[in-house]
Amino acid sequence: MKRNGSAAFVPLLIGVMFIFWFIWFLGQEGDNTHKINRLENLQNLQHRLLSAAINRKIELMQVDDSNDTDVDGKINGYIRNMMHANHIYKGKI
Amino acid sequence: MKKSILVLSCFIVAGVFAQNTTTTTTFSKLSNISTDKYGNTVSEQKVTISTKNFKINNFWGKFSNPKSQSIYSNISTTGIFSLSTEASFVCRDGSLDLNGCSGQKPFIVNTGTFTNPNLQKGIDDNTLPQGEYRIPYGSAKSYTPSNISSFYAIDTYRNKKYFTKSVTVTKQASGEGFFNYLLSLIKNYFSLKTTTYNPMNPSLSNLRIRYVENITYGIDQASQAHSGTIFISQPNKATKDKISLLDYNNQSTTQTTGCSGLIFDYNLDSLTCKIIQFFNISSWMPFVNDRDKTVITTTSMVTDTENTLLALAGKLNHTDYLSNISTTSVSGGKGSNFLVQLLKPASYMFKSMIHLFFGSKSTNTTQLADVQFKFKKPVPLAFIIVKNNIVSGIKQMLLTGIESVYGTNVTQCTVKQNNAKQVGYISVEFKTDATKLNQGYRFIHTISTSSYFSQTKTPLSKLNTSYYSVLNPTVTKWGFPFKIFKKYTIKLTTKDWLGWCRRNQGQQSSLLGSLFGNFLQLFAKKSTNPTKNQAIDSLLHNLGFTVVSYQQQVHNNLILDLKNTSSFKIGQPGTTTHFKLLNVMQGIR
């Protein structure tokens, strides 16, 4: 029995498509994981910096002639620097 | 139309991509500011950190679109902190266990102390601005649950593990070997005896360390007062769950009279010195002098309180207050020059004659040497308020200064009225709530009294009212129809009486004293603008008051200058703020 077009080609095709789909899926999921990682990273960083910010504020308030706005400005800069140190800036990874 | 929308959307997209990631930190206003049961100021504050335009580059997405990014317009985290500010600031550099440190200081006052008007008066009896106080130190011996005129110290069971320092006891260096022994013998013979530091017994020494630590770092957290009783009957009996009053007063005021000659200072115990003192040679023999020296030893609670608070304030203000106080001399010794020494025999004779005929006032050997410190940055202090031996609350105050009072203190004085002279034509009515004794009235330092002298002036009577105006007489007018009668009332307090006693004690009548003194009084010109003291002296002299008995004490006390404060600010100099994260809220947009 001779077959011109083997029916075995179909499952092969499906298999290849599945592999492509799987690669695409992994890629998507990889992107997703990456995104979640980055977000969680940032959130954790923010979480940890909360204590740093208030600690810094208490310390700065003890300096002579300090006022609230000056201190808040300094802390803003301090937190920004911490963000830069952790590469959270200009959208760079 | 379509074109413009396209262009616009291009700009918007470009704008979004061009925006940088920024992070801002914002603090909310403090809320729920209150005082907790330990006397610390507690408050809440929200802190928000928000990151805008956070971009994540997608690796996979780059295959399809090179500019693929996930952009989050706002990722923010908000934390709610509870902040607690306590009145101590050296805990961190005290290398002390955190449990050994709290803001609560070992000072207690009875309820009503902060409303006592007597404590709201300045040195010159003027009323202080609202919310300012001058509160003297009171010893545990004088404590009664109703005493509202001083602050007291308490002792706590401070666990030994918090002690970090040990008190060094200075010993007199003893020479080794025969030569050193000989040298010290000679040195001792020819030099003034110096007072040696007397170490306290070990348990007292522990009390002392504990007290100083309690002032410096605050009471250890396990013994913080918030309720419960305070041992009143037995001082120094603090146990694990009870606080007691504290009292260690090894204060001794030693007064030494040394002998100094032209070349040597003689040993106090030497026969030479004793002869000099016995025959009072120093008063007439040139170049031989008595040297009075008053030394107040520094092992009393008062000095410990003062020194510790000054050290704290000094650290806060970057000023060495303690070196200032060490230069304070308490001695009343006088130096004299060559000529005075040569004229000594003559002046001694002259003085003796004056003594014989006119009598003399007894003189105080100890001079007043008050020192007052004002702090630029006040030291926060927390006072425990006690009502009937039970802790009822804690008051936050600011210590703006310390008055160190050395000197003589009149503790008691008995006066009598010999013969009431008339001032003007009308006699003076005298009323007092001082203790009445057979021979007069007794005024005691700690018991406040008030005395009234009132006198009615009719249009015809002579009365020198302007002279006594410095005593602030209250004038009431009466009589019908024109209120022509005036009644002058002069009020004197215990303090006035005791001050008068101090100035007029020891005026024993001498041979000619009373005769001559009164004679001279007739011609003595009265100054038209007398000081308050002069006016009191004149008034009481005219009314025939004299001092019967008089007691005074060399003392050393401390007055705290305090200012009211409703709460300690965060980061206020002299405080420590602890924080605790209560809640975190996070959001992504």
Side-chain angles (χ1 to χ4, degrees):
Chain A
M1 208 166 75
K2 193 187 173 186
R3 274 179 256 169
N4 269 340
S6 174
F9 179 72
V10 174
L12 197 70
L13 205 67
I14 291 171
V16 169
M17 274 173 74
F18 175 78
I19 286 168
F20 271 104
W21 172 86
F22 189 66
I23 290 169
W24 175 83
F25 169 78
L26 277 187
Q28 285 287 309
E29 286 310 296
D31 265 5
N32 250 350
T33 321
H34 174 67
K35 210 190 287 178
I36 290 165
N37 262 345
R38 294 291 298 156
L39 281 177
E40 280 196 341
N41 239 359
L42 179 61
Q43 285 190 324
N44 278 336
L45 186 65
Q46 285 183 340
H47 192 299
R48 271 179 283 129
L49 285 180
L50 284 178
S51 298
I54 200 109
N55 207 2
R56 192 94 181 144
K57 174 149 186 163
I58 293 165
E59 267 174 21
L60 286 174
M61 290 297 278
Q62 275 167 348
V63 177
D64 300 358
D65 309 322
S66 58
N67 65 54
D68 251 19
T69 36
D70 275 2
V71 165
D72 286 4
K74 278 179 187 165
I75 294 164
N76 233 324
Y78 168 72
I79 297 295
R80 201 167 295 146
N81 287 340
M82 295 306 285
M83 288 289 176
H84 282 207
N86 285 281
H87 306 291
I88 313 284
Y89 109 103
K90 281 193 173 174
K92 261 200 160 178
I93 300 169
Chain B
M1 186 64 190
K2 267 183 187 171
K3 235 183 198 172
S4 67
I5 288 170
L6 201 72
V7 169
L8 201 69
S9 60
C10 267
F11 270 111
I12 289 167
V13 168
V16 167
F17 280 110
Q19 265 180 356
N20 288 342
T21 309
T22 54
T23 305
T24 48
T25 314
T26 47
F27 293 90
S28 74
K29 276 198 169 175
L30 289 174
S31 58
N32 296 333
I33 303 170
S34 61
T35 309
D36 71 359
K37 63 179 180 178
Y38 298 117
N40 301 332
T41 301
V42 285
S43 54
E44 279 181 16
Q45 188 165 38
K46 265 187 201 172
V47 184
T48 306
I49 299 178
S50 62
T51 306
K52 295 204 163 87
N53 298 311
F54 183 61
K55 296 158 199 169
I56 300 170
N57 287 334
N58 294 327
F59 170 76
W60 186 253
K62 271 186 176 170
F63 288 111
S64 52
N65 179 4
K67 284 210 161 175
S68 165
Q69 272 184 327
S70 304
I71 301 170
Y72 296 91
S73 64
N74 194 0
I75 296 172
S76 74
T77 305
T78 300
I80 300 173
F81 286 94
S82 99
L83 298 157
S84 148
T85 307
E86 62 185 35
S88 61
F89 66 104
V90 285
C91 285
R92 265 186 286 186
D93 40 61
S95 66
L96 202 67
D97 191 320
L98 192 68
N99 294 327
C101 206
S102 80
Q104 212 172 76
K105 307 286 179 174
F107 303 126
I108 64 162
V109 290
N110 284 321
T111 317
T113 304
F114 289 117
T115 48
N116 185 356
N118 289 332
L119 301 182
Q120 296 170 37
K121 279 181 182 166
I123 299 169
D124 314 319
D125 255 12
N126 54 325
T127 312
L128 290 170
Q130 180 69 33
E132 287 188 22
Y133 304 88
R134 290 171 71 238
I135 303 182
Y137 164 87
S139 73
K141 276 176 209 151
S142 70
Y143 182 87
T144 56
S146 57
N147 196 338
I148 53 164
S149 53
S150 46
F151 75 93
Y152 303 90
I154 53 163
D155 187 28
T156 60
Y157 185 83
R158 203 185 172 90
N159 210 323
K160 265 185 184 166
K161 69 175 175 181
Y162 303 128
F163 293 168
T164 53
K165 291 166 296 197
S166 60
V167 162
T168 48
V169 177
T170 50
K171 271 187 188 171
Q172 224 171 9
S174 58
E176 280 169 21
F178 180 71
F179 181 71
N180 281 333
Y181 171 73
L182 208 68
L183 202 69
S184 68
L185 205 73
I186 295 167
K187 253 192 199 163
N188 278 339
Y189 187 81
F190 287 113
S191 64
L192 268 174
K193 199 178 198 174
T194 48
T195 40
T196 46
Y197 178 70
N198 228 350
M200 303 162 106
N201 65 52
S203 68
L204 271 182
S205 162
N206 261 350
L207 276 183
R208 192 180 172 207
I209 304 169
R210 211 148 62 200
Y211 181 52
V212 170
E213 295 222 338
N214 279 343
I215 299 175
T216 316
Y217 306 117
I219 293 167
D220 65 294
Q221 289 188 359
S223 333
Q224 279 188 103
H226 55 90
S227 61
T229 47
I230 287 188
F231 265 131
I232 304 298
S233 53
Q234 293 170 298
N236 309 344
K237 292 276 186 234
T239 62
K240 226 170 191 174
D241 37 35
K242 272 186 179 165
I243 293 170
S244 79
L245 282 171
L246 181 63
D247 195 17
Y248 63 85
N249 262 343
N250 236 22
Q251 180 190 347
S252 59
T253 311
T254 45
Q255 208 161 12
T256 51
T257 307
C259 306
S260 69
L262 190 59
I263 300 162
F264 294 122
D265 284 346
Y266 303 106
N267 186 350
L268 273 180
D269 301 328
S270 69
L271 190 64
T272 328
C273 186
K274 277 172 183 156
I275 289 171
I276 288 173
Q277 282 175 2
F278 186 79
F279 292 104
N280 203 6
I281 290 170
S282 64
S283 52
W284 52 267
M285 176 87 88
F287 304 111
V288 174
N289 291 305
D290 277 350
R291 191 181 287 168
D292 285 340
K293 200 178 180 191
T294 309
V295 179
I296 297 173
T297 49
T298 56
T299 46
S300 76
M301 266 181 79
V302 186
T303 30
D304 275 351
T305 314
E306 185 182 315
N307 288 343
T308 314
L309 286 175
L310 281 178
L312 268 180
K315 191 166 165 50
L316 195 61
N317 287 278
H318 311 294
T319 316
D320 188 6
Y321 295 114
L322 285 170
S323 69
N324 286 347
I325 204 164
S326 63
T327 58
T328 309
S329 92
V330 196
S331 67
K334 275 174 267 171
S336 51
N337 58 31
F338 192 76
L339 195 66
V340 172
Q341 292 290 338
L342 282 183
L343 290 173
K344 236 177 176 180
S347 66
Y348 177 69
M349 287 276 286
F350 187 67
K351 265 188 210 160
S352 307
M353 281 167 70
I354 300 266
H355 270 248
L356 183 68
F357 289 117
F358 300 106
S360 67
K361 279 187 184 181
S362 65
T363 49
N364 292 331
T365 45
T366 317
Q367 292 177 327
L368 280 175
D370 296 356
V371 202
Q372 199 175 6
F373 297 96
K374 283 273 163 215
F375 309 140
K376 261 187 189 167
K377 288 185 204 162
V379 183
L381 279 185
F383 283 86
I384 300 166
I385 297 175
V386 173
K387 192 178 185 182
N388 294 328
N389 306 354
I390 291 169
V391 178
S392 70
I394 287 148
K395 178 111 178 90
Q396 296 171 331
M397 300 294 278
L398 292 175
L399 180 72
T400 54
I402 283 179
E403 291 163 44
S404 178
V405 190
Y406 290 93
T408 50
N409 181 19
V410 186
T411 50
Q412 189 181 304
C413 180
T414 311
V415 303
K416 70 172 179 186
Q417 198 173 16
N418 294 336
N419 44 342
K421 290 173 198 166
Q422 289 186 349
V423 180
Y425 292 130
I426 294 153
S427 64
V428 176
E429 198 186 337
F430 169 57
K431 267 180 196 168
T432 182
D433 52 354
T435 322
K436 193 161 179 112
L437 302 169
N438 285 335
Q439 77 258 52
Y441 302 95
R442 176 179 289 160
F443 296 92
I444 297 171
H445 171 59
T446 46
I447 301 170
S448 65
T449 58
S450 59
S451 310
Y452 292 92
F453 294 96
S454 54
Q455 184 173 23
T456 313
K457 187 188 180 186
T458 59
L460 292 170
S461 67
K462 270 187 182 176
L463 180 63
N464 190 0
T465 49
S466 67
Y467 186 78
Y468 296 116
S469 62
V470 70
L471 297 176
N472 296 323
T474 47
V475 187
T476 41
K477 294 176 183 177
W478 53 283
F480 186 76
F482 302 115
K483 293 197 172 176
I484 45 175
F485 299 107
K486 283 179 185 170
K487 190 179 175 188
Y488 291 86
T489 309
I490 290 173
K491 193 183 162 191
L492 292 188
T493 60
T494 307
K495 203 180 159 192
D496 294 334
W497 278 103
L498 293 179
W500 174 78
C501 283
R502 183 209 285 280
R503 290 191 298 277
N504 293 279
Q505 44 107 359
Q507 277 187 325
Q508 291 116 345
S509 41
S510 57
L511 197 62
L512 295 171
S514 49
L515 199 76
F516 220 65
N518 284 343
F519 185 68
L520 283 175
Q521 196 76 31
L522 286 174
F523 299 102
K525 204 179 171 188
K526 273 184 184 173
S527 66
T528 42
N529 286 318
T531 60
K532 193 183 174 189
N533 286 346
Q534 282 171 341
I536 293 174
D537 286 358
S538 159
L539 178 76
L540 295 182
H541 177 81
N542 282 335
L543 295 170
F545 280 98
T546 50
V547 179
V548 177
S549 74
Y550 173 83
Q551 255 182 39
Q552 70 174 359
Q553 201 180 41
V554 176
H555 78 120
N556 166 12
N557 204 346
L558 157 80
I559 298 171
L560 302 184
D561 295 349
L562 296 162
K563 213 166 136 187
N564 233 340
T565 182
S566 57
S567 63
F568 297 140
K569 287 187 198 89
I570 286 165
Q572 180 173 330
T575 62
T576 305
T577 305
H578 300 286
F579 60 87
K580 206 165 125 189
L581 189 55
L582 295 179
N583 196 7
V584 180
M585 292 167 289
Q586 292 189 312
I588 299 173
R589 208 169 353 125

